Amino acid sequence: MRISSDLFNAFLKCPTKCWLRAAGEPASGNAYAEWVKSQSGSYHVTEIELLLSETPKGEVAVSPPLENLKAAKWRLATNLAMHARMNPYVLESELHALERAPSEGRGRPPQFMPIRFIFMNKLGEVDKLLLAFDAFVLSKVTGREIGFGKIIHGDDRSALKVKTAAFFGEVRKCIERVAALLSSPTPPDLVLNRHCGECEFQTRCRQKAIEADDLSLLSGMSEKERKKLHSKGIFTITQLSYTFRPRRRPKRMRDKREKYHHSLKALAIREKKIHIVGRPELKIEGTPIYLDVEGLPDRDLYYLIGMRIGSGDSAVHHSLWADTAADEGKIWREFLGILQTVEKPVLIHYGSYETGFLKRMGERHGKPPESSVAARTIQAAVNLLSVLFARVYFPTFSNGLKEIAGYLGVRWSDSAGTGAQAIRWRHEWAASGARLQKLSLLTYNAEDCKALDVVANKLVELTQAFSNAGSSPPEGVVNTTTLKREHPYGFKRNTFAFPELNVINRAAYWDYQRERIYVKSDANLKRAPTPGARRPHVIAPNKIIECASPRSCPKCASEKFFKHTKYCKTIFDLKFMRHGIKRWVTRYRYHRYQCQGCGTVFQPEETCWGKSKCGSGIMAYSLYLHIELRLPQLLTADKLNRLFGFHLDSTTISRFKADAAENYKGTFEALVNRLCRGRLLHVDETKVNLKDKDGFVWVFANMEDVAYIYSDTREGDLLQTMLKDFKGVLVSDFYAAYDSIQCPQQKCLIHLIRDLNEDVLKHPYDEELKQLTLAFAVLLKPMVGSIDRYGLKSRFLKKHLPSVKQFYRRISESNLQSEAAVKVKERLEKHRDKLFTFLSYDGVPWNNNNAEHAVKPFARFRHMSGGLSTEKGLRNHLVLLSLCQTCKYMGVDFLEFLRSGEKDIHAFADSRRRQRRRCGCDR
């Protein structure tokens, strides 16, 4: 197998191009690709001639033999064909030129520097890798590393010295990928990319992609997104179109731009209709000026400014042409002058190229005065692409002007005209001065301006159509808010084609049959009462207390007062007995009294119980059911009503939560302070959906305490504030926000080994990754064994520190080629000081299970609430959940703690332990 520099270059741009060239596939034709090849060849010849003219004839060699390069006497050689064997393939490279620096002393070999010629003024990473490939092949031929190379490029013959040795690792990886690619008898998966416009196989590949309905036709989709869809079994645009689900946006997001949905783009293509998200917003209040600029990005030159003033047949077009770079300032001033003459000009363009043009030209040739019409017009320029992006989905593969305008009926006189072809036309005109190329450019630019006019008018039309609420969209346009979300397994009402079918279907409903059909044939159903038909049951009190009269007026202390009004108050509660719970209703009877001296109306002190009719027992039990047993508030109230005959509702349970959260606020704050000042802290975070926004819940935990804290964002500001004085060991996952905390840290190794395992499963043939993962597992396994035997005691775990140093020394010396293995290596080295902290500290776990275990109860509540909680309700729940989980970690009963009236969980736990010890002594 032979890998040439030509195939290597093709692979860097597109693997399919590399395979097709190696297979000898005939080119389908691309004028720009042919022009680039011609320019490269002529630039190569010209630069060789210049180098030869600058070098003495006796020091020049053309295609010299390669058998004994070390003994060569020439200083410059050109057109060297290199062949180097790198089992199991042969590398081939034709060096444009090679410089030889003579030996600097006895025993020192001469130095070689490969030279590559590139006609472009701007260089990219691909150009440096090509030079590195030349140097790599040369190093194989000479038997020693070629550290540097040179690229001569551009109109000014600029020379760039490149440290080629730094690219050898990447070159080796690419060579292995090329070898694997060429060893396959079938071409790689077809993927269209940005290079397609410059490739000779463009027509062939695009036709095959259209036939396969390939996802890469959607130009805005990244490789990562495409692979993610492939992993879900989605390979075509049609398949992707069925995945779009319209979602109602929350109020807080209505003023923010909707994200771009590739699935909606696919749906628009499948249905061949324009799809609208929200309301398009484009109003042209003034005279529209459609701007399109042509330039040479390689030279930072703008040579043609097209301006179409007005719309339709009455529009006037201006073409401002610059013959050379010196004329660029002149056409800029002409452009500003035209803006000044237009009444209420509105500048409209498409994409970021014109945005950059307006900014750079103002910096180069002067901005118009701030108060001028031109300055205000440029400042308020409208980018149509930003108007339609993620709002208007045309049934086209991309959001390019030519595709969208082509869908709207615009046609170009030269169908092959593109931005790349315009660059070719300009260079050909500069070389020959031919009028045909200039005319082609002027026509192409004018037609782009006309296309811009058509697209803008369509957006204005859509804006007007959607400005009236309730109005139906135009034909061929779909408002996504009217799309129904299909639930394949949900309950739904059927829509029937005939009303007779609908009548038959309605007769089969469960309620209809039970209330209208079955009662006619079953007498028992007639006697069954309907829910809600029962009268509320009056609960008799278990105890009646007659409140004694007070001795004096609480205001003036007078003993002269008289009975004012008679009252009674019923308190519903639960009485906890040794083997059960009983409803307990207490009725208090008392009088209100009025002082004869000051006229104050008062009642006995023991009757000041507040507004609630429920006692502390029922409140504690309802919180136990809701917080610890995770019953929803509605179900909690229903269970209490059925078991004890109460008449509670979910609002009452919510009020219990709010009162309890306020009552235990000090307890919660004491927990948080205890955690943030301890010697060990586990932290984790999870997302939560609220009724009107999204937020995050942070979990702080150690061996005894747990606290849940709400935050609007996932940013590290909360951590910085709460842990600014923390001096213990922080155990966490690999989220970057934790790295900013200045304290010893232990990363969760369970997270790490799971990630390593997933990488191995994703890359089953990557031997380097397997060996690295196995080495880490072999390192960690004895540590886990020591922990199982001796516990988390550093005096038994420090013996593993030399193994850690040896492991890191081995991986630092390894020369890994696999991309996945290199990433794992970098991750291990980055977190070296945070992976094995548990070996040096007593009582520090090697995982974050304490926090992750505490996340689970909240995750169950999150699932139960279904995103309907408010921020206030969530904060109340987190306070009580913190107490519940701390009770579990402390080994005490949450219900007993609530009933006890105690505020300090640790004091309550100590009292329970003392009580158990006393009971043990008594027995």
Side-chain angles (χ1 to χ4, degrees), residues 253-267:
M253 300 290 291
R254 288 180 183 174
D255 295 333
K256 297 182 180 180
R257 180 178 287 274
E258 177 72 67
K259 72 173 185 178
Y260 188 83
H261 297 282
H262 292 292
S263 56
L264 182 53
K265 188 72 169 177
L267 178 62

Side-chain angles (χ1 to χ4, degrees), residues 90 140 220 224 329 331 370 382 472 489 502 508 558 664 780 833 850 857 877:
V90 176
K140 294 293 182 182
K224 183 178 180 181
I331 63 172
E370 291 186 5
V382 178
S472 58
Y489 305 109
N502 189 35
S558 173
Y664 289 107
L780 191 59
D833 297 335
N850 278 328
H877 190 93

